[in-house]
Amino acid sequence: MNNKSNKEIIEEISLKKNEPLWMLEFRLKALEYYSNTKTPTWGADLSKLNENSIEYYIKPVKDLQYDWADVPEDIKKTFDDLGIPKAEQEILAGVGAQYDSELIYKSLKKEWSDKGVLFMDISQALVDHKELVEKYFATVVPYHDNKFAALNSAFWSGGSFVYIPKNVEITVPLQAYFRINTQAMGQFERTLIIAEENSKVHYIEGCSAPLYRKNSLHSAVVEIIALKGSQVRYTTIQNWAHNIYNLVTKRAFAYENAHVEWVDGNFGSCVTMKYPSVILKGENSKATIVSLAVADNVQHQDVGAKVIHLANNSCSNVISKSISKKNGRSSYRGLIAVAENVTGCKSAVKCDALLFDNAQSDTYPMIKIKGECDLEHEASVTNISEEQIFYATSRGITSEKAQAMVINGFVGTFINELPLEYAIEINKLLAHQMEGSIG
């Protein structure tokens, strides 16, 4: 830890990034709110998170690069192992890679930049497209939304800025990787996606970190503005080390006829608290949230979804899957709210939990209906027993294949929402994490 005060660190970050005065003032107000707000106790246990031991900002080893060949070799190897260059060449419209506190690599194919698409480090966007950033920044997630949104707002560094012009449809995904590579650090990236009228984009986020002896903190904020008739899909695959506290605020505004989709995969971390949210502000707007959480050993995946219907004929669909094993704990925490005088809404929520040995699963649904809504809520908890595996093996199926069949069938809804390349990786990850769960 350096000996600078939090205020001095913020002033240093803001000066280094050449930020306008309004952003520095925003950061300092957020710091004050964070300092005066108690750590939440209603969710996962955060008592072992020592925020005073966290390094809030790690200076980049090298400035942002646009050519993969110019990235330092040690960093390049890390991301080579994750498949970034190969993925960029084969299937992606653009790639960004963040290493600790800063984005170190960014590339967008000319086909899309020629159409006015912007995909860049959000700090650079604050310089090059300051009117857009100032117009939308913190309008979806204000600094006073919660303690960790305030922490992010004070110390944010790195993250993506995406802007899709009117009537532009990106036919292949944009992708960002976020890597924590220093122990006892905080990563506070901030992502802002603006989809103009009748535009379409799929953004994929991957996160990872090695295992160190000291805990680290990932506290991101994601804001999506889906304007009239736009379609935005945000896919997250997070595979953190088991000593990462993953405390994230993700929220979208969906306007008339817009459709926002969250596809959210949570692996690793010691604690995750994340509830992707959509506020349906326009008539005929739609929200789809599909999530998968895997809790192993003493992990607690406290995840869920929130949808607030503010407009007539808005529609939401929430599908939550969780797998818990070896004393792991998965919690679904959800909210469906319909505002007063709103009519013609539809909402469906389905929560399924799969348990092994001494694992635990909880469901905390909240429903607030003041208007008119056709609502369905369904939840199930299933155990895989040794008897079920024995039945399958008696038909000539190995116990490993029998277990894989059950798990693959259970998570099929989530897997089907992923591009083929990512579905294969998730299946491999599941197979690795579930190894030895039965027998």
Side-chain angles (χ1 to χ4, degrees), residues 101-386:
S101 295
E102 294 288 4
L103 201 71
I104 55 93
Y105 174 68
K106 194 280 298 181
S107 176
L108 177 67
K109 289 185 177 178
K110 188 174 184 296
E111 173 186 358
W112 304 111
S113 59
D114 286 348
K115 293 184 178 182
V117 173
L118 302 175
F119 176 43
M120 62 179 61
D121 177 13
I122 191 169
S123 295
Q124 190 62 43
L126 187 58
V127 175
D128 295 346
H129 305 280
K130 56 185 178 181
E131 295 85 2
L132 269 176
V133 177
E134 186 170 5
K135 180 179 179 179
Y136 290 108
F137 189 91
T139 59
V140 184
V141 180
Y143 72 84
H144 51 75
D145 187 82
N146 63 76
K147 183 177 178 67
F148 293 100
L151 179 62
N152 173 282
S153 297
F155 294 99
W156 74 266
S157 184
S160 297
F161 176 80
V162 178
Y163 174 80
I164 314 298
K166 182 178 180 180
N167 297 325
V168 173
E169 294 189 10
I170 300 184
T171 55
V172 287
L174 301 172
Q175 179 157 335
Y177 278 103
F178 298 97
R179 172 81 171 179
I180 293 178
N181 219 62
T182 304
Q183 64 179 337
M185 78 153 289
Q187 188 174 70
F188 307 112
E189 82 272 8
R190 188 136 189 153
T191 297
L192 176 60
I193 298 175
I194 305 162
E196 292 281 7
E197 186 174 334
N198 297 320
S199 65
K200 185 176 182 180
V201 64
H202 182 190
Y203 178 93
I204 300 176
E205 172 193 85
C207 304
S208 66
L211 182 63
Y212 291 112
R213 285 192 294 176
K214 294 184 179 180
N215 294 330
S216 291
L217 170 64
H218 175 250
S219 185
V221 167
V222 178
E223 299 181 285
I224 295 176
I225 294 95
L227 297 172
K228 182 179 179 181
S230 64
Q231 297 180 52
V232 180
R233 170 176 283 205
Y234 194 110
T235 297
T236 304
I237 306 297
Q238 297 190 337
N239 185 26
W240 296 112
H242 286 194
N243 60 343
I244 301 291
Y245 283 82
N246 184 32
L247 311 174
V248 179
T249 305
K250 308 173 76 168
R251 188 175 303 143
F253 286 168
Y255 291 86
E256 182 182 352
N257 293 313
H259 185 190
V260 173
E261 299 174 89
W262 297 104
V263 180
D264 202 56
N266 297 290
F267 302 81
S269 81
C270 60
V271 168
T272 289
M273 293 178 69
K274 188 200 321 178
Y275 321 99
S277 307
V278 183
I279 299 178
L280 300 170
K281 297 173 73 74
E283 191 162 345
N284 297 309
S285 55
K286 185 177 181 181
T288 302
I289 304 174
V290 182
S291 64
L292 170 65
V294 179
D296 188 6
N297 201 5
V298 293
Q299 294 173 291
H300 188 179
Q301 301 281 5
D302 195 287
V303 297
K306 298 180 182 180
V307 184
I308 299 175
H309 295 253
L310 299 181
N312 295 338
N313 304 312
S314 51
C315 179
S316 61
N317 186 30
V318 175
I319 299 174
S320 172
K321 300 278 187 176
S322 68
I323 301 175
S324 306
K325 57 173 285 193
K326 294 182 179 178
N327 297 311
R329 180 180 178 183
S330 294
S331 301
Y332 170 80
R333 197 177 300 274
L335 168 67
I336 300 295
V338 179
E340 193 173 359
N341 300 322
V342 171
T343 63
C345 295
K346 293 183 179 180
S347 181
V349 180
K350 183 175 173 60
C351 306
D352 296 322
L354 185 62
L355 300 180
F356 293 80
D357 37 68
N358 296 319
Q360 180 177 343
S361 176
D362 316 288
T363 302
Y364 306 102
M366 184 178 294
I367 299 171
K368 297 181 178 180
I369 308 296
K370 294 184 179 180
E372 175 191 296
C373 182
D374 182 356
L375 175 67
E376 301 175 13
H377 182 92
E378 179 183 346
S380 69
V381 180
T382 305
N383 288 90
I384 295 183
S385 66
E386 293 186 8

Side-chain angles (χ1 to χ4, degrees), residues 402-423:
Q403 177 183 296
M405 288 170 60
V406 175
I407 293 171
N408 289 339
F410 179 78
V411 302
T413 305
F414 177 81
I415 298 295
N416 290 340
E417 295 298 326
L418 300 174
L420 177 61
E421 295 81 2
Y422 300 95

Side-chain angles (χ1 to χ4, degrees), residues 386-399 401-403 405-406:
E386 293 186 8
E387 288 79 6
Q388 290 174 302
I389 301 300
F390 176 78
Y391 179 83
T393 56
S394 70
R395 299 299 189 269
I397 301 171
T398 66
S399 59
K401 287 185 177 179
Q403 177 183 296
M405 288 170 60
V406 175

